[in-house]
Amino acid sequence: MTRVSRKGRTPEARAFRAERVLDAGMALATRGGYDAVQMREVARIAEVALSTLYRYYPSKDALLAAAIQLQLDELRKDIAQRPPRQRTPEGRAAEVLHRAFRAMQYNRGWAHAALSAFHIPKPLGERHEEAAPLAETPPPTSLAELMGRAAWGPEHRITTAEYRALHMLEALWSSSVIGWLNDQITPEYFEERMKFAARRLLAPEPETGR
């Protein structure tokens, strides 16, 4: 029996509508970056009412955050299908960062929109907006989580210190993508920076003699 939500739509129908909305937002970002993503235009392309769009995504930043989760999910699948082959945890973590960056290189407009959504400070006093997604989704995935799973495997219990190091790498990755977008660093330097930082932050400390 087909399940129908209280609003008269099956979960499958809501998921399909969510896919159209996020595809529309990403298409606009591809054309012109962050400023090109206008909610009215997203609603028009996705063929949903503007009021409905705002009910689920109260701002374009909320919409872009949902689209970023889709991209992270694609990266997670890629890692599962093609696990990093480096011999060390820091090498495997760096490869995750490289793959994430290469996805940005393929679509500079999307990279501009995604990084702008997270790194433009909100007006003072404005609170974080909670989006009610159109389709049920698993808990948010982060780049730090993907690095940790690739580095040490899914069975490894990541320590507080390891999480801090992973979050530092994630922050460096974001700032480096912005540097690349601003033509301040080359892709080659970007990858060397990630390798260097991963070695410094994740390599095990050498044992000291007694």
Side-chain angles (χ1 to χ4, degrees):
M1 181 177 178
T2 302
R3 291 182 298 136
V4 179
S5 72
R6 286 176 293 181
K7 295 183 179 180
R9 291 182 179 271
T10 65
E12 291 77 13
R14 295 180 70 198
F16 177 72
R17 185 171 59 173
E19 183 178 353
R20 291 204 319 265
V21 165
L22 298 179
D23 283 349
M26 292 182 69
L28 289 169
T30 298
R31 296 176 199 170
Y34 182 77
D35 292 338
V37 182
Q38 300 298 323
M39 297 294 273
R40 186 176 298 278
E41 188 67 4
V42 170
R44 184 189 68 78
I45 295 172
E47 299 180 334
V48 299
L50 185 61
S51 59
T52 299
L53 180 61
Y54 273 114
R55 184 184 313 147
Y56 293 108
Y57 302 110
S59 71
K60 72 175 178 180
D61 284 359
L63 187 148
L64 289 169
I68 289 168
Q69 282 299 309
L70 286 183
Q71 295 290 295
L72 286 170
D73 191 51
E74 289 299 315
L75 179 58
R76 178 184 58 78
K77 292 175 183 176
D78 180 62
I79 293 168
Q81 293 170 358
R82 299 186 303 115
R85 295 183 177 181
Q86 278 69 27
R87 291 180 296 177
T88 62
E90 59 270 23
R92 292 188 288 272
E95 184 173 333
V96 171
L97 296 174
H98 297 164
R99 292 190 194 183
F101 175 57
R102 287 172 195 143
M104 294 294 186
Q105 284 182 280
Y106 293 139
N107 192 333
R108 196 179 183 96
W110 165 247
H112 181 274
L115 271 293
S116 296
F118 275 91
H119 294 282
I120 295 177
K122 297 183 182 299
L124 291 177
E126 182 177 313
R127 303 189 59 153
H128 177 70
E129 296 166 327
E130 293 289 341
L134 284 166
E136 294 179 1
T137 57
T141 300
S142 69
L143 198 53
E145 177 196 344
L146 295 178
M147 279 190 287
R149 291 173 68 87
W152 298 293
E155 303 303 319
H156 176 77
R157 186 170 182 177
I158 300 175
T159 67
T160 299
E162 288 168 345
Y163 260 127
R164 287 174 179 167
L166 292 170
H167 289 149
M168 290 171 69
L169 282 171
E170 185 176 30
L172 178 62
W173 181 89
S174 295
S175 66
S176 297
V177 173
I178 292 173
W180 167 73
L181 285 168
N182 290 338
D183 296 319
Q184 295 170 337
I185 64 174
T186 65
E188 294 75 20
Y189 181 69
F190 181 102
E191 297 205 0
E192 286 303 316
R193 175 186 278 190
M194 294 301 104
K195 289 178 184 177
F196 178 84
R199 286 196 301 268
R200 288 301 181 97
L201 290 171
L202 299 181
E205 297 183 5
E207 294 184 5
T208 57
R210 297 194 173 205

